[in-house]
Amino acid sequence: MPHDPLTAEQREIRELVRTLARERIAPRAAEIDKSAEFPWDVVELYRENGLFGLMFDEEHGGVGASALMTLVAIEEISKVCATSGLILAVQELGSLGIKLAGSDELKRRFLPKLASGEWLAAYALSEAGSGSDSAAMASAARRDGDDYVLNGSKRFITNAGVAHVYVCFAKTEPDAAHDGISAFVVEADTPGFTVGRIEPKMGIKGSTTGELFFDECRVPAANLLGEEGEGFTLAMRILDRSRPGIAAQGLGLASGATEYALEYARTRETFGEPIVRHQLVGGMLADMATRCEAARGLLYRCGALIDSGADGPELTKISAMTKLFCTDVAMAVTTDAVQVLGGYGYIQEYPLERMMRDAKITQIYEGTNQIQRLVIAREMLRD
Ligand SMILES: Cc1cc2nc3c(=O)[nH]c(=O)nc-3n(C[C@H](O)[C@H](O)[C@H](O)COP(=O)(O)OP(=O)(O)OC[C@H]3O[C@@H](n4cnc5c(N)ncnc54)[C@H](O)[C@@H]3O)c2cc1C
């Protein structure tokens, strides 16, 4: 067996997740895509099997299985269903603010329910007018006694309408840029908080992507994460740790598509032999598998770096590289996998057209891949 950086225990968890993915999630993937309905049955499956607990410490009701293990789980699930893989990735994205900057009280209140999966989480940074340039956000929060009062809106928020806990960013100093941003935990049932339109999308259709509105939405001052003005730095520290989750989703799509295309190419015959024997097809599959292996190497390295406690510029750079590379691989490899199947790749009876549609978003969210390149170049200049 080739060298595997996972421990025996981690390999066991991977096996469990792989089995759940193949037996329970794969048969649902086409239907989730077709219905575009949030798959609560998958959430229930994760709850029953303790999968949300992978990314939480024992102290907060999880199993403390490491960042690497979480990435492996997201990869395994995304091999068969990218929407389902995203549910795990966004639970981490939406919880990280509380883990990194929440008071002990906030941690006690929220993390155990997020670790069990009783509550889902969301991360609300983007607005209609501010995506890449997140410091241009218009949402505002003003202090009023023991509360903050939030006004404004967010757009494109994953888990909108299904999450109970939203980590939201708003300006406590409207005229400042990065330094004027603060982060708050907002519960779904807070008066003045509403969910607007859920967007129909090209892919990851079972995941909700929606608008949030804050209309004189009053949250306790105790829900502030860190100090006033620290929100932008926190938003970026969260992304350093969550972008690898999107990389894992991308790698899952790429490896799942490669496995599928290889099996197909073994049996589909043209000109008297299996298409895999035609060197142009075999070469394409070789490139796809090689890209996946390279992406996995980078992803595992990034997971190990997070587990080593790395923070700051080193993590920022490797995390951006991992997100960039794995998701570009996802798009290239799923596109090639469709090509390997020829006309069958393009029709809905086969999973590859869905995987190609699902792959596209991985190059866009949690910072577009243009933004990842800017981040990497900036960090290289710092070296
Ligand atoms: C399905 C989905 C789910 C999402 N989930 C979330 C979520 O949960 N939470 C959240 O906060 N956000 C979420 N987003 C928002 C997502 O992160 C943003 O869409 C993304 O960051 C890009 O922002 P934008 O759409 O405003 O594009 P823009 O920032 O307007 O960018 C448009 C284009 O210009 C390029 N560009 C912009 N600036 C530069 C530059 N300086 N140099 C080079 N190129 C540049 C971009 O790469 C892009 O190609 C989600 C989006 C989608 C579609």
Side-chain angles (χ1 to χ4, degrees):
M1 182 183 175
H3 172 70
D4 190 333
L6 302 185
T7 63
E9 196 192 345
Q10 288 173 326
R11 286 203 295 271
E12 251 176 58
I13 300 176
R14 180 176 61 191
E15 215 35 58
L16 165 80
V17 178
R18 196 172 275 174
T19 306
L20 287 176
R22 286 199 179 142
E23 292 179 2
R24 305 286 299 278
I25 299 175
R28 282 276 289 127
E31 178 57 29
I32 291 170
D33 179 61
K34 196 165 171 224
S35 70
E37 279 171 17
F38 184 76
W40 282 108
D41 58 320
V42 171
V43 171
E44 196 48 44
L45 185 73
Y46 293 168
R47 287 173 178 154
E48 283 166 8
N49 288 278
L51 292 201
F52 290 113
L54 290 177
M55 56 196 103
F56 293 86
D57 290 339
E58 287 178 42
E59 186 191 349
H60 298 114
V63 294
S66 86
L68 176 59
M69 194 63 244
T70 304
L71 297 175
V72 170
I74 296 169
E75 178 194 343
E76 287 302 324
I77 290 164
S78 302
K79 280 182 185 174
V80 301
C81 177
T83 288
S84 300
L86 185 61
I87 291 173
L88 282 187
V90 174
Q91 191 73 340
E92 175 71 338
L93 170 70
S95 304
L96 272 164
I98 303 173
K99 290 185 193 173
L100 291 171
S103 62
D104 288 346
E105 202 264 322
L106 286 180
K107 287 180 183 163
R108 271 197 303 274
R109 217 164 93 216
F110 292 107
L111 295 185
K113 288 201 161 81
L114 294 169
S116 68
E118 182 183 341
W119 285 349
L120 298 180
Y123 171 91
L125 181 68
S126 304
E127 299 186 359
S130 67
S132 304
D133 184 8
S134 49
M137 71 175 60
S139 291
R142 65 168 198 278
R143 180 84 193 228
D144 183 24
D146 287 340
D147 297 328
Y148 281 94
V149 181
L150 274 62
N151 281 290
S153 63
K154 296 285 168 185
R155 187 144 190 208
F156 296 143
I157 306 308
T158 302
N159 277 358
V162 298
H164 180 85
V165 182
Y166 295 79
V167 168
C168 301
F169 298 84
K171 286 202 169 157
T172 37
E173 271 188 69
D175 297 333
H178 304 80
D179 293 347
I181 297 172
S182 303
F184 303 90
V185 182
V186 180
E187 293 188 62
D189 52 7
T190 311
F193 173 82
T194 48
V195 174
R197 192 168 75 127
I198 302 295
E199 314 280 357
K201 302 188 293 291
M202 173 192 290
I204 54 157
K205 290 190 177 201
S207 171
T208 63
T209 309
E211 292 172 300
L212 310 179
F213 293 104
F214 309 95
D215 179 12
E216 290 291 292
C217 173
R218 199 168 269 278
V219 296
N223 284 20
L224 176 71
L225 294 172
E227 301 291 328
E228 267 191 33
E230 289 181 356
F232 185 80
T233 306
L234 178 62
M236 297 303 121
R237 288 185 70 215
I238 293 170
L239 290 175
D240 283 349
R241 289 159 180 78
S242 66
R243 283 174 176 157
I246 299 307
Q249 185 193 28
L251 174 58
L253 278 161
S255 350
T258 303
E259 279 172 24
Y260 196 93
L262 177 62
E263 278 316 301
Y264 183 87
R266 277 186 214 276
T267 51
R268 173 74 176 175
E269 292 194 1
T270 65
F271 304 97
E273 55 182 354
I275 58 169
V276 73
R277 297 281 170 213
H278 299 307
Q279 291 181 347
L280 293 177
V281 175
M284 207 181 225
L285 285 160
D287 283 344
M288 289 156 67
T290 305
R291 283 175 159 157
C292 288
E293 280 302 325
R296 189 169 293 111
L298 194 50
L299 181 73
Y300 281 26
R301 167 147 187 247
C302 188
L305 194 66
I306 297 172
D307 288 330
S308 74
D311 202 356
E314 189 192 5
L315 178 59
T316 301
K317 186 169 79 178
I318 296 292
S319 161
M321 287 175 167
T322 305
K323 196 275 184 181
L324 168 66
F325 190 76
C326 292
T327 63
D328 279 357
V329 163
M331 197 65 240
V333 167
T334 54
T335 306
D336 282 354
V338 168
Q339 192 72 17
V340 169
L341 266 72
Y344 293 95
Y346 200 73
I347 62 170
Q348 290 183 351
E349 190 183 338
Y350 292 79
L352 292 177
E353 62 84 30
R354 182 188 77 239
M355 296 170 101
M356 184 176 159
R357 282 186 284 109
D358 285 350
K360 185 62 213 172
I361 189 59
T362 67
Q363 295 180 304
I364 295 173
Y365 55 18
E366 296 208 22
T368 65
N369 283 3
Q370 283 76 31
I371 295 301
Q372 306 309 318
R373 288 181 170 92
L374 294 182
V375 169
I376 296 161
R378 185 193 67 206
E379 295 305 326
M380 287 166 70
L381 290 175
R382 204 200 286 265
D383 285 348

